[in-house]
Amino acid sequence: MNGTLILVELAGHVGLLLWGTHMVGTGVQRGFGVVLQRWLRRNPDSRIESFLTGLGVTTLLQSSTATGLLATSFTATGVIALAPALAVMLGANVGTALLTQLLSTNTALVGPPLVLVGVLAFRWAAAGRAKNVGRIGIGVGLMLMALAGLVHTVAPLENAPLLRPVIGALSGDPVLAVVIAALLTWACHSSIAIVLLIGSFEATHVVGPNGALALVLGANLGGALPALVNASNRMALRLPLGNLMVRATGVVLALPLLPEIAHALARMDPNTARLVVNFHLLFNTTLALVFLAPVGPLARLLTRWLPDPPLPADPGRPVHLDSAALDSATVALANASRETLRMADMIDVMLRDTLELTSRETLGRADAVAAAARSVDQLGEAIRRYLADVGDEQALDNQREGARAQDILSAVINLEHVADILANSFVEFSLRSLKRGKRLSAEESDIVAAMHAELIDSLRLALAVFLQAEPHDAKRLVASKANFRGFEAAAMTLSVRSLRTAAASNRLVESETAERVAEESGLLLRSVRDLRRIHSHLASFAYPVLHRPRVRADADETLPVRPAGVPTTAQKHTAA
């Protein structure tokens, strides 16, 4: 019964260690997620800079597994090139080894005060970064308390009679030790926790030096498995496969040399309690030194093994909505943003097709516009479902994450409205007019062409506002509405002038002729009205940026936070 209680207590400490690691990672992602995303998205050309980026991000996230999932998602969507991403993972592996060194020090007394300070900060902070700093403090404190409890609980296991055969099997069969440690690390999604647990076993002489080092090799191998298993396509599989290949190569080369390595480490540091963490750091540092230079050839090899899949035959199928990224709201929102950009690309093509339809009477373009509108609706529905899944997997209680989700939703709705106007109003009416033999005059065509060109520029500016949230660009976008008021006034003037000219030349004697001139004039005015409505939806991208309040210095990010009612505000200005 005593042995059973010890195992239950041991499992509780391991669970507390994992939960503390999870809280630290969650706090960092919610409080500093945008900063980390910018670090990873810079896509630096220098291997050293990429390596340092991975090391820094992992130090903050407290997990190379979390860094691997982030980097894998960005690589799969093309934000980061594969070669720099491999260097990022080498830095992440060294970063997790340095964290293990830090957490293995005798800092048990710091744990309870950290938890207390973290709880007070979490409860007293209204929102934003301070609240997440409190969450991080709680997580670190729980990790330190769990480590102290592990050492205290593991000590009696040294003399447990049932444990000796198991430990002897692991010490005598390093391959079995590697496999077991890899499976445990994969299940826990935390190599730090497993390595620290192995260090506790070795410090209390539950496992010998050779067996402990073999278990560390397995923990390193298992740390590469979560991203590999969660990869949903070939592009997402490249980075975790490369990381696994690097670690597996190190494991194969180190296994036969474990006795010599243990002896050398014992001579360097007589403190046997630090044997495990010292080997963990040595192993990952050596891999970084060996593989940092050839990341380029390795990236080309992985790309040749796993080529880009062909684009889906149905353009309405989402490409970037990776379900494996739902565990990280930051990455999932980045994926939804990239899919929204695909919708915008379709709108751009639709605008060009409608211009050809009105100017060159290319009737075949109408079918292309209708098909593109269906694809836009299909993508919009997929993005909305994906955003709902993000809320289910990880609550968007962070101000910036919740506001970004609303921005994406608002952009998707506005782009769907634009597609609907083009396909069901503008194109349909133009087709009916062309079939009746009505066409725009040269002056009228110039106005419509100028409005199309202005819409394409406004679409690009709206996307810049959507991505960068710069107030200057948002003001430019809103100011462009004056151009469309000018276009509408010019169209009205031209329409009235044509009617007066027809009356002056006595072409309105017959009522049928009068009706024909009125209908031809209506074709221009209705086209101008539809194009102005489209621009109103594009201008709606600017209102969340211009109307949101500025945040305090301790808020979630340096950029201001958008108000909760973004869609309603956008609809108000769209209707204006």
Side-chain angles (χ1 to χ4, degrees), residues 324-409:
L326 291 174
D327 291 336
S328 172
T330 301
V331 180
L333 293 176
N335 292 342
S337 298
R338 288 179 62 82
E339 205 66 57
T340 305
L341 296 182
R342 284 192 65 218
M343 291 181 64
D345 290 339
M346 294 180 182
I347 296 296
D348 185 271
V349 175
M350 291 175 69
L351 285 172
R352 299 178 190 276
D353 286 342
T354 53
L355 178 60
E356 291 191 13
L357 177 65
T358 56
S359 61
R360 303 178 187 177
E361 301 182 17
T362 310
L363 299 180
R365 295 292 183 181
D367 294 334
V369 172
R374 290 191 294 270
S375 298
V376 168
D377 290 339
Q378 187 177 346
L379 275 181
E381 183 180 356
I383 294 173
R384 288 194 294 271
R385 287 199 305 266
Y386 190 74
L387 291 176
D389 291 338
V390 174
D392 290 339
E393 294 291 333
Q394 181 177 340
L396 298 176
D397 57 352
N398 175 278
Q399 281 187 332
R400 170 163 290 276
E401 291 172 353
R404 185 56 181 167
Q406 291 186 12
D407 283 349
I408 296 171
L409 181 60

Side-chain angles (χ1 to χ4, degrees), residues 156-239:
L157 294 179
E158 180 183 3
N159 299 319
L162 296 178
L163 194 62
R164 291 186 179 276
V166 177
I167 298 302
L170 294 180
S171 300
D173 191 346
V175 175
L176 178 62
V178 168
V179 172
I180 291 177
L183 293 177
L184 286 176
T185 306
W186 176 28
C188 295
H189 279 52
S190 176
S191 59
I192 293 179
I194 299 301
V195 170
L196 292 174
L197 178 62
I198 297 169
S200 301
F201 283 157
E202 199 278 333
T204 53
H205 307 290
V206 173
V207 64
N210 293 343
L213 298 190
L215 290 171
V216 172
L217 292 178
N220 279 275
L221 197 63
L225 294 178
L228 185 72
V229 174
N230 291 332
S232 57
N233 53 55
R234 296 179 188 175
M235 297 177 65
L237 191 61
R238 293 171 185 165
L239 180 60

Side-chain angles (χ1 to χ4, degrees), residues 112-318:
L114 270 179
V115 173
L116 177 60
V117 173
V119 169
L120 294 178
F122 185 82
R123 290 180 63 88
W124 287 351
R129 184 171 292 174
K131 195 177 190 71
N132 287 299
V133 169
R135 183 183 279 111
I136 295 170
I138 296 173
V140 174
L142 291 179
M143 292 174 68
L144 296 177
M145 294 171 62
L147 290 173
L150 277 175
V151 174
H152 177 74
T153 304
V154 168
L157 294 179
E158 180 183 3
N159 299 319
L162 296 178
L163 194 62
R164 291 186 179 276
V166 177
I167 298 302
L170 294 180
S171 300
D173 191 346
V175 175
L176 178 62
V178 168
V179 172
I180 291 177
L183 293 177
L184 286 176
T185 306
W186 176 28
C188 295
H189 279 52
S190 176
S191 59
I192 293 179
I194 299 301
V195 170
L196 292 174
L197 178 62
I198 297 169
S200 301
F201 283 157
E202 199 278 333
T204 53
H205 307 290
V206 173
V207 64
N210 293 343
L213 298 190
L215 290 171
V216 172
L217 292 178
N220 279 275
L221 197 63
L225 294 178
L228 185 72
V229 174
N230 291 332
S232 57
N233 53 55
R234 296 179 188 175
M235 297 177 65
L237 191 61
R238 293 171 185 165
L239 180 60
L241 179 60
N243 187 36
L244 180 64
M245 290 171 57
V246 169
R247 292 193 179 192
T249 302
V251 169
V252 171
L253 295 177
L255 265 178
L257 305 176
L258 287 183
E260 291 78 6
I261 294 174
H263 181 68
L265 289 175
R267 292 181 59 184
M268 292 173 57
D269 189 350
N271 185 5
T272 58
R274 300 193 58 80
L275 175 67
V276 167
V277 293
N278 289 338
F279 174 67
H280 187 40
L281 179 61
L282 174 65
F283 178 76
N284 286 285
T285 304
T286 303
L287 289 182
L289 293 175
V290 171
F291 287 96
L292 190 58
V295 289
L298 179 58
R300 290 191 291 271
L301 179 63
L302 290 168
T303 303
R304 189 160 51 247
W305 285 354
L306 299 168
D308 292 340
L311 292 177
D314 182 7
R317 284 188 57 189

Side-chain angles (χ1 to χ4, degrees), residues 511-560:
S511 59
E512 294 182 357
T513 306
E515 183 180 353
R516 177 179 58 80
V517 174
E519 287 182 359
E520 291 175 355
S521 176
L523 172 60
L524 172 64
L525 296 180
R526 179 161 178 172
S527 299
V528 169
R529 184 203 64 179
D530 286 340
L531 294 178
R532 187 178 176 186
R533 287 172 57 204
I534 291 172
H535 184 266
S536 296
H537 284 291
L538 297 180
S540 297
F541 281 65
Y543 297 122
V545 179
L546 296 177
H547 295 169
R548 63 192 175 190
R550 297 287 176 178
V551 291
R552 302 185 309 271
D554 63 341
D556 192 63
E557 276 300 328
T558 55
L559 289 175

